[in-house]
Amino acid sequence: MDAIRCAVTGCLGNVGYNLVFFLASGGVFGPHQKISLNLLEIPDLAPQLEGLKMELEDCAFPALHEIRVGSDPFDLFGDIDCAFLVGARPRGPGMERKELLQANGVIFQRQGQALDRSAKKRVRVLVVGNPCNTNCLIALHNAKTISPDQFAALTRLDEFRARAVLAKKTGADVSDVSPVVIWGNHSSTLVPDIQHTMIGKKAALSCVDEAWILSTMLPSVRKRGAEIIKLRGKSSSASAAFAAVSAMAVMTGQLEENSLVSMPVFSKGNPYGIDPNLVFSFPCRTHGDRLTIDPSMRPSDALWKEVLVSEKELIEERDAVRHLLV
Ligand code: LMR
Protein backbone atom coordinates (compact mmCIF):
# COMPACT_ATOMS: atom_id res chain seq x y z
CA MET A 1 0.00 0.00 0.00
CA ASP A 2 1.50 3.38 -1.03
CA ALA A 3 1.96 6.04 1.62
CA ILE A 4 -0.58 8.86 1.59
CA ARG A 5 1.19 12.21 1.39
CA CYS A 6 -0.29 15.00 3.54
CA ALA A 7 0.82 18.60 3.76
CA VAL A 8 0.25 20.68 6.89
CA THR A 9 0.90 24.42 6.88
CA GLY A 10 1.56 26.33 10.07
CA CYS A 11 2.56 23.16 11.84
CA LEU A 12 4.29 24.92 14.73
CA GLY A 13 1.17 26.93 15.53
CA ASN A 14 -1.52 26.39 18.09
CA VAL A 15 -3.53 23.94 15.97
CA GLY A 16 -0.81 22.63 13.66
CA TYR A 17 1.43 21.33 16.43
CA ASN A 18 -1.35 19.12 17.77
CA LEU A 19 -2.58 18.15 14.34
CA VAL A 20 0.68 16.60 13.13
CA PHE A 21 0.78 14.18 16.07
CA PHE A 22 -2.87 13.17 15.60
CA LEU A 23 -2.13 12.61 11.93
CA ALA A 24 1.10 10.68 12.39
CA SER A 25 -0.56 8.40 14.93
CA GLY A 26 -3.13 7.35 12.34
CA GLY A 27 -5.94 9.76 13.26
CA VAL A 28 -7.31 10.06 9.72
CA PHE A 29 -6.37 6.87 7.91
CA GLY A 30 -5.85 4.45 10.77
CA PRO A 31 -2.61 3.06 12.21
CA HIS A 32 -1.99 0.62 9.34
CA GLN A 33 -2.00 3.11 6.46
CA LYS A 34 1.47 4.60 5.87
CA ILE A 35 1.51 8.36 5.77
CA SER A 36 4.17 10.86 4.64
CA LEU A 37 4.11 14.35 6.09
CA ASN A 38 5.16 17.53 4.29
CA LEU A 39 5.39 20.11 7.04
CA LEU A 40 5.43 23.83 6.28
CA GLU A 41 6.29 26.84 8.37
CA ILE A 42 7.58 30.34 7.75
CA PRO A 43 11.34 30.42 6.99
CA ASP A 44 12.20 32.09 10.32
CA LEU A 45 11.02 28.95 12.13
CA ALA A 46 13.27 26.52 10.25
CA PRO A 47 15.21 25.37 13.38
CA GLN A 48 11.99 24.77 15.33
CA LEU A 49 10.62 22.82 12.40
CA GLU A 50 13.67 20.51 12.56
CA GLY A 51 12.90 20.11 16.28
CA LEU A 52 9.33 19.10 15.50
CA LYS A 53 10.60 16.58 12.97
CA MET A 54 12.83 15.06 15.66
CA GLU A 55 9.92 14.81 18.08
CA LEU A 56 7.80 13.04 15.50
CA GLU A 57 10.64 10.61 14.81
CA ASP A 58 10.96 9.99 18.56
CA CYS A 59 7.38 8.72 18.70
CA ALA A 60 8.28 5.85 16.32
CA PHE A 61 4.74 5.98 14.92
CA PRO A 62 4.22 2.77 12.90
CA ALA A 63 2.20 4.68 10.28
CA LEU A 64 4.75 7.44 9.71
CA HIS A 65 6.72 6.75 6.55
CA GLU A 66 8.58 9.98 5.76
CA ILE A 67 8.79 13.61 6.90
CA ARG A 68 9.76 16.55 4.71
CA VAL A 69 10.01 20.08 6.08
CA GLY A 70 10.27 23.51 4.48
CA SER A 71 8.54 26.79 3.76
CA ASP A 72 7.80 26.78 0.03
CA PRO A 73 4.29 25.52 -0.80
CA PHE A 74 5.16 25.14 -4.49
CA ASP A 75 7.76 22.56 -3.44
CA LEU A 76 6.06 21.00 -0.39
CA PHE A 77 2.66 20.59 -2.06
CA GLY A 78 4.35 18.38 -4.69
CA ASP A 79 2.26 15.24 -5.29
CA ILE A 80 0.25 15.55 -2.11
CA ASP A 81 -3.00 13.62 -1.58
CA CYS A 82 -4.34 15.93 1.11
CA ALA A 83 -3.60 19.31 2.60
CA PHE A 84 -4.46 20.95 5.88
CA LEU A 85 -4.15 24.71 5.42
CA VAL A 86 -3.76 25.77 9.01
CA GLY A 87 -1.08 28.46 8.98
CA ALA A 88 -2.58 31.91 9.47
CA ARG A 89 -2.52 34.71 11.98
CA PRO A 90 -4.75 33.57 14.86
CA ARG A 91 -7.42 35.73 16.44
CA GLY A 92 -6.73 37.44 19.76
CA PRO A 93 -9.08 38.44 22.59
CA GLY A 94 -11.97 40.66 21.49
CA MET A 95 -11.43 40.07 17.76
CA GLU A 96 -13.89 38.62 15.23
CA ARG A 97 -12.43 36.02 12.85
CA LYS A 98 -13.23 38.17 9.81
CA GLU A 99 -10.84 40.86 11.09
CA LEU A 100 -8.07 38.49 9.98
CA LEU A 101 -9.24 38.48 6.40
CA GLN A 102 -6.85 41.00 4.89
CA ALA A 103 -3.82 39.62 6.75
CA ASN A 104 -4.59 36.00 5.96
CA GLY A 105 -6.26 36.21 2.54
CA VAL A 106 -3.00 36.57 0.60
CA ILE A 107 -1.60 33.46 2.28
CA PHE A 108 -4.50 31.40 0.90
CA GLN A 109 -4.21 32.98 -2.55
CA ARG A 110 -0.60 31.80 -2.81
CA GLN A 111 -1.41 28.40 -1.38
CA GLY A 112 -4.25 27.96 -3.89
CA GLN A 113 -1.80 28.73 -6.67
CA ALA A 114 0.72 26.29 -5.22
CA LEU A 115 -1.91 23.53 -4.96
CA ASP A 116 -2.84 24.19 -8.57
CA ARG A 117 0.75 23.87 -9.75
CA SER A 118 2.07 21.08 -7.54
CA ALA A 119 -0.56 18.87 -5.87
CA LYS A 120 -2.21 15.76 -7.27
CA LYS A 121 -5.39 16.72 -9.13
CA ARG A 122 -7.47 14.59 -6.77
CA VAL A 123 -6.05 16.27 -3.65
CA ARG A 124 -8.44 16.95 -0.74
CA VAL A 125 -7.95 20.36 0.89
CA LEU A 126 -9.21 21.36 4.33
CA VAL A 127 -8.91 25.02 5.31
CA VAL A 128 -8.60 25.59 9.05
CA GLY A 129 -6.94 29.05 9.23
CA ASN A 130 -9.54 31.72 9.99
CA PRO A 131 -11.76 33.10 8.66
CA CYS A 132 -11.80 29.59 7.27
CA ASN A 133 -14.86 29.76 4.99
CA THR A 134 -13.60 32.74 3.03
CA ASN A 135 -9.96 31.62 3.08
CA CYS A 136 -11.19 28.37 1.57
CA LEU A 137 -13.06 30.32 -1.12
CA ILE A 138 -9.84 32.20 -1.94
CA ALA A 139 -7.81 28.98 -2.13
CA LEU A 140 -10.26 27.18 -4.40
CA HIS A 141 -10.56 30.15 -6.76
CA ASN A 142 -6.79 30.17 -7.14
CA ALA A 143 -6.57 26.42 -7.82
CA LYS A 144 -8.36 26.44 -11.14
CA THR A 145 -7.39 22.93 -12.22
CA ILE A 146 -8.64 21.27 -9.03
CA SER A 147 -12.36 20.65 -8.56
CA PRO A 148 -13.89 23.04 -5.96
CA ASP A 149 -15.70 19.99 -4.57
CA GLN A 150 -12.38 18.82 -3.14
CA PHE A 151 -12.13 21.82 -0.81
CA ALA A 152 -13.84 22.35 2.53
CA ALA A 153 -13.52 24.49 5.64
CA LEU A 154 -14.15 23.55 9.24
CA THR A 155 -17.42 23.59 11.15
CA ARG A 156 -16.92 20.08 12.46
CA LEU A 157 -15.64 21.70 15.66
CA ASP A 158 -18.93 23.61 16.02
CA GLU A 159 -20.85 20.38 15.42
CA PHE A 160 -18.90 18.63 18.19
CA ARG A 161 -19.41 21.64 20.46
CA ALA A 162 -23.17 21.57 19.88
CA ARG A 163 -23.36 17.84 20.60
CA ALA A 164 -21.37 18.32 23.81
CA VAL A 165 -23.66 21.15 24.98
CA LEU A 166 -26.73 18.99 24.33
CA ALA A 167 -25.22 16.01 26.15
CA LYS A 168 -24.40 18.16 29.16
CA LYS A 169 -27.86 19.70 29.28
CA THR A 170 -29.74 16.40 29.04
CA GLY A 171 -27.32 14.23 31.02
CA ALA A 172 -26.89 11.95 28.00
CA ASP A 173 -23.64 10.40 26.92
CA VAL A 174 -22.21 12.48 24.07
CA SER A 175 -21.96 9.37 21.91
CA ASP A 176 -25.76 9.08 22.11
CA VAL A 177 -26.23 12.52 20.57
CA SER A 178 -26.48 12.22 16.79
CA PRO A 179 -25.21 14.94 14.40
CA VAL A 180 -26.25 18.55 14.81
CA VAL A 181 -26.41 20.49 11.55
CA ILE A 182 -24.30 23.63 11.38
CA TRP A 183 -25.30 26.23 8.80
CA GLY A 184 -23.29 29.11 7.41
CA ASN A 185 -20.06 30.68 8.52
CA HIS A 186 -17.61 29.47 11.16
CA SER A 187 -18.19 32.70 13.04
CA SER A 188 -20.48 34.23 15.63
CA THR A 189 -23.31 34.03 13.05
CA LEU A 190 -23.18 30.23 12.63
CA VAL A 191 -26.48 28.42 13.13
CA PRO A 192 -26.65 25.10 15.01
CA ASP A 193 -29.82 23.24 14.07
CA ILE A 194 -31.06 20.27 16.10
CA GLN A 195 -34.32 19.55 14.28
CA HIS A 196 -32.96 16.17 13.04
CA THR A 197 -30.80 15.39 16.07
CA MET A 198 -31.59 12.35 18.19
CA ILE A 199 -30.57 11.79 21.80
CA GLY A 200 -30.65 8.05 22.17
CA LYS A 201 -34.07 7.09 20.82
CA LYS A 202 -35.66 10.50 21.43
CA ALA A 203 -35.79 13.54 19.18
CA ALA A 204 -33.55 16.24 20.68
CA LEU A 205 -36.38 18.75 20.24
CA SER A 206 -38.48 16.76 22.70
CA CYS A 207 -35.70 16.83 25.32
CA VAL A 208 -34.97 20.57 25.42
CA ASP A 209 -37.26 23.57 25.04
CA GLU A 210 -37.02 26.25 22.41
CA ALA A 211 -36.24 29.00 24.92
CA TRP A 212 -33.12 27.10 26.05
CA ILE A 213 -32.05 26.52 22.44
CA LEU A 214 -32.23 30.23 21.63
CA SER A 215 -31.00 31.67 24.91
CA THR A 216 -28.29 29.15 25.82
CA MET A 217 -27.35 26.64 23.16
CA LEU A 218 -27.11 28.99 20.19
CA PRO A 219 -24.92 31.63 21.88
CA SER A 220 -22.75 29.10 23.66
CA VAL A 221 -21.82 27.31 20.42
CA ARG A 222 -21.31 30.61 18.63
CA LYS A 223 -19.13 32.08 21.36
CA ARG A 224 -17.23 28.98 22.42
CA GLY A 225 -14.08 29.90 20.45
CA ALA A 226 -14.04 33.43 21.92
CA GLU A 227 -14.60 32.09 25.43
CA ILE A 228 -11.67 29.73 25.08
CA ILE A 229 -9.47 32.60 23.89
CA LYS A 230 -10.52 34.61 26.93
CA LEU A 231 -9.67 31.80 29.34
CA ARG A 232 -6.54 30.37 27.75
CA GLY A 233 -5.18 33.61 26.31
CA LYS A 234 -4.97 31.85 22.94
CA SER A 235 -7.37 30.14 20.59
CA SER A 236 -8.43 26.52 20.83
CA SER A 237 -5.74 24.17 19.64
CA ALA A 238 -6.16 20.44 20.39
CA SER A 239 -9.93 20.53 19.90
CA ALA A 240 -9.57 22.31 16.55
CA ALA A 241 -6.86 19.85 15.51
CA PHE A 242 -9.06 16.91 16.48
CA ALA A 243 -11.97 18.35 14.50
CA ALA A 244 -9.69 18.92 11.51
CA VAL A 245 -8.58 15.29 11.57
CA SER A 246 -12.19 14.22 11.74
CA ALA A 247 -13.12 16.51 8.83
CA MET A 248 -10.33 15.09 6.68
CA ALA A 249 -11.59 11.60 7.53
CA VAL A 250 -14.94 12.73 6.11
CA MET A 251 -13.31 14.12 2.97
CA THR A 252 -11.24 11.03 2.26
CA GLY A 253 -14.06 8.53 2.57
CA GLN A 254 -13.42 7.08 6.04
CA LEU A 255 -17.05 7.42 7.17
CA GLU A 256 -19.97 5.09 6.55
CA GLU A 257 -21.91 5.70 3.33
CA ASN A 258 -24.65 8.34 3.70
CA SER A 259 -23.41 9.69 7.05
CA LEU A 260 -24.73 13.13 7.92
CA VAL A 261 -21.99 15.72 8.51
CA SER A 262 -21.81 19.50 8.44
CA MET A 263 -19.09 20.87 6.20
CA PRO A 264 -18.53 24.30 4.66
CA VAL A 265 -18.36 23.47 0.94
CA PHE A 266 -18.51 25.45 -2.30
CA SER A 267 -22.09 26.66 -2.62
CA LYS A 268 -22.42 26.58 -6.42
CA GLY A 269 -25.59 24.66 -7.36
CA ASN A 270 -26.74 24.27 -3.74
CA PRO A 271 -30.41 23.30 -3.28
CA TYR A 272 -31.17 26.03 -0.71
CA GLY A 273 -30.79 29.12 -2.88
CA ILE A 274 -27.74 30.35 -0.96
CA ASP A 275 -25.43 32.63 -2.99
CA PRO A 276 -23.52 30.30 -5.35
CA ASN A 277 -20.05 31.74 -4.80
CA LEU A 278 -19.41 31.13 -1.11
CA VAL A 279 -17.99 28.41 1.08
CA PHE A 280 -21.02 27.70 3.26
CA SER A 281 -21.67 25.08 5.90
CA PHE A 282 -24.52 22.78 4.84
CA PRO A 283 -25.83 19.40 5.97
CA CYS A 284 -23.92 17.00 3.73
CA ARG A 285 -24.06 13.27 3.05
CA THR A 286 -20.99 11.12 2.53
CA HIS A 287 -20.57 8.96 -0.58
CA GLY A 288 -17.10 7.46 -0.42
CA ASP A 289 -14.79 10.48 -0.64
CA ARG A 290 -17.50 12.73 -2.08
CA LEU A 291 -20.01 14.92 -0.29
CA THR A 292 -23.43 15.97 -1.49
CA ILE A 293 -25.61 18.61 0.13
CA ASP A 294 -28.74 17.04 1.62
CA PRO A 295 -31.67 19.03 0.17
CA SER A 296 -34.25 17.82 2.71
CA MET A 297 -33.13 19.62 5.86
CA ARG A 298 -34.43 23.17 5.62
CA PRO A 299 -34.85 24.44 9.18
CA SER A 300 -37.78 26.37 10.68
CA ASP A 301 -38.48 29.87 9.33
CA ALA A 302 -37.08 31.45 12.51
CA LEU A 303 -33.78 29.59 12.15
CA TRP A 304 -33.68 30.19 8.39
CA LYS A 305 -33.66 33.95 9.08
CA GLU A 306 -30.50 33.37 11.12
CA VAL A 307 -28.99 31.33 8.27
CA LEU A 308 -29.53 34.28 5.94
CA VAL A 309 -27.68 36.56 8.37
CA SER A 310 -24.71 34.21 8.15
CA GLU A 311 -24.99 34.22 4.34
CA LYS A 312 -24.93 38.03 4.36
CA GLU A 313 -21.79 38.02 6.48
CA LEU A 314 -20.09 35.63 4.06
CA ILE A 315 -21.08 37.78 1.09
CA GLU A 316 -19.51 40.79 2.81
CA GLU A 317 -16.34 38.82 3.56
CA ARG A 318 -16.16 37.68 -0.06
CA ASP A 319 -16.69 41.17 -1.37
CA ALA A 320 -13.85 42.44 0.81
CA VAL A 321 -11.42 40.02 -0.89
CA ARG A 322 -12.73 40.19 -4.48
CA HIS A 323 -9.24 41.17 -5.62
CA LEU A 324 -7.94 37.75 -4.44
CA LEU A 325 -10.55 35.73 -6.35
CA VAL A 326 -9.83 34.80 -9.96
C1 LMR B 1 -12.39 28.19 17.31
O1 LMR B 1 -13.56 28.19 16.94
O2 LMR B 1 -12.08 27.88 18.47
C2 LMR B 1 -11.31 28.56 16.33
O3 LMR B 1 -11.85 28.93 15.12
C3 LMR B 1 -10.41 29.63 16.84
C4 LMR B 1 -11.11 30.97 17.04
O4 LMR B 1 -10.64 31.99 16.53
O5 LMR B 1 -12.14 30.99 17.71
Side-chain angles (χ1 to χ4, degrees), residues 91 97 130 157-158 161 186 224-226 228-229 235-236 240:
R91 142 168 108 124
R97 294 181 186 94
N130 280 316
L157 179 56
D158 307 299
R161 285 170 172 166
H186 174 60
R224 187 75 168 183
I228 287 170
I229 292 170
S235 55
S236 33

Side-chain angles (χ1 to χ4, degrees), residues 27 121 125-127 129 140 151 153 171 178 181 214 217 269 295:
K121 292 303 164 204
V125 182
L126 179 73
V127 178
L140 70 84
F151 286 75
S178 73
V181 171
L214 294 175
M217 187 183 134

Side-chain angles (χ1 to χ4, degrees), residues 74 77-78 111-119 121 142-143 145-146:
F74 289 88
F77 287 172
Q111 290 178 351
Q113 293 161 351
L115 286 164
D116 198 44
R117 171 114 52 96
S118 307
K121 292 303 164 204
N142 283 279
T145 62
I146 298 171

